[in-house]
Amino acid sequence: MTRFFSKIISKIKGREYQIDEGINSADMLSIVFTRFFMLLRGFFKTLGFKKHGKINFIGKRVAIKSKSHISCGGGLTIEDDCHINALCRKGVKIGDNFSLGRKSIIECTGVIRELGEGLEIGNNVGIAANAFISVRGDVKIGDNVIFGPDVKLFSENHIFEDVETPIYLQGATRLGIEIGNDCWLGAGVTVLDGVKIGDGCVIAAGAVVNKDIPDYSIAVGSPAKVIKSRK
């Protein structure tokens, strides 16, 4: 049974995928049952998208606002209790085989007096549970990127120099965030506005990234510091 479903998943993803042989038939049937209903929700929930693939899996209690701003490829998976607000100037563009873990939030606009810019996500990107992606400035995520749980991206920074004026009235900077291809951001990583993380980087769990990280770097700490090059 696992071989049969491995072939089906490989066809959906467009690459070789092998289900663990330790999964027994009862567990496999339970997974298939769950995925069947996610597939049905995926059909209805993606109605209204600007563009979408043929096969999409969406969990329970998923809220998607401003659907007409979303373009996505095939193999989309959104787990239970996620919230997506796609209202932004440039829209939300998602590649093939994207997965968003449980209770994650993508928030493109906070207040309607100033829309967020745009979100681009490449192919084969996996984001684990409880992620928070704030799309005020542009956010770009490359191909083959993985996020651990509780990763947070903030593409805006409040101005606070004038002590006589409330901070919320001083405006904000929106330099944006860019994450290159083949990166791994560990659990609890926070990426702040204006940061570019190069290709092939590993950011250790709990790091706070407030400056650019060169290609193929391993960075740890708060603020994050490069400790080693993968090359």
Side-chain angles (χ1 to χ4, degrees), residues 105-228:
I105 296 172
I106 296 175
E107 185 183 75
C108 292
T109 290
V111 292
I112 57 174
R113 70 172 181 268
E114 192 172 11
L115 299 182
E117 292 301 324
L119 172 63
E120 293 184 26
I121 299 175
N123 299 317
N124 306 313
V125 172
I127 296 177
N130 295 306
F132 183 83
I133 300 176
S134 174
V135 184
R136 301 301 191 264
D138 286 311
V139 175
K140 298 180 180 179
I141 300 171
D143 297 332
N144 307 313
V145 173
I146 50 177
F147 286 8
D150 298 301
V151 169
K152 298 175 176 60
L153 309 183
F154 298 100
S155 60
E156 179 181 66
N157 192 25
H158 287 285
I159 298 168
F160 54 86
E161 279 75 11
D162 184 359
V163 297
E164 302 297 328
T165 304
I167 293 173
Y168 81 96
L169 293 176
Q170 296 187 47
T173 59
R174 294 180 167 186
L175 302 176
I177 290 172
E178 185 173 346
I179 297 172
N181 301 316
D182 190 29
C183 290
W184 172 27
L185 277 62
V189 167
T190 299
V191 182
L192 301 182
D193 187 39
V195 166
K196 180 178 179 180
I197 298 175
D199 293 339
C201 289
V202 175
I203 312 298
V208 177
V209 188
N210 65 352
K211 61 182 179 181
D212 292 354
I213 305 295
D215 292 351
Y216 302 103
S217 295
I218 299 173
V220 305
S222 176
K225 296 182 179 179
V226 174
I227 61 167
K228 187 177 181 181

Side-chain angles (χ1 to χ4, degrees), residues 38 40-52 56-72 76-87 92 94 98 100 104-108 119:
M38 289 181 72
L40 289 179
R41 289 189 210 98
F43 174 79
F44 290 105
K45 284 281 188 179
T46 56
L47 293 175
F49 278 24
K50 185 175 182 180
K51 179 184 176 182
H52 63 82
N56 305 286
F57 300 94
I58 295 182
K60 295 177 286 187
R61 299 176 298 277
V62 170
I64 305 175
K65 298 181 179 180
S66 299
K67 292 182 179 182
S68 63
H69 293 259
I70 300 176
S71 299
C72 72
L76 174 76
T77 299
I78 301 175
E79 299 284 355
D80 297 346
D81 301 301
C82 289
H83 179 93
I84 299 174
N85 173 4
L87 179 61
V92 174
I94 301 172
F98 171 68
L100 186 66
S104 292
I105 296 172
I106 296 175
E107 185 183 75
C108 292
L119 172 63

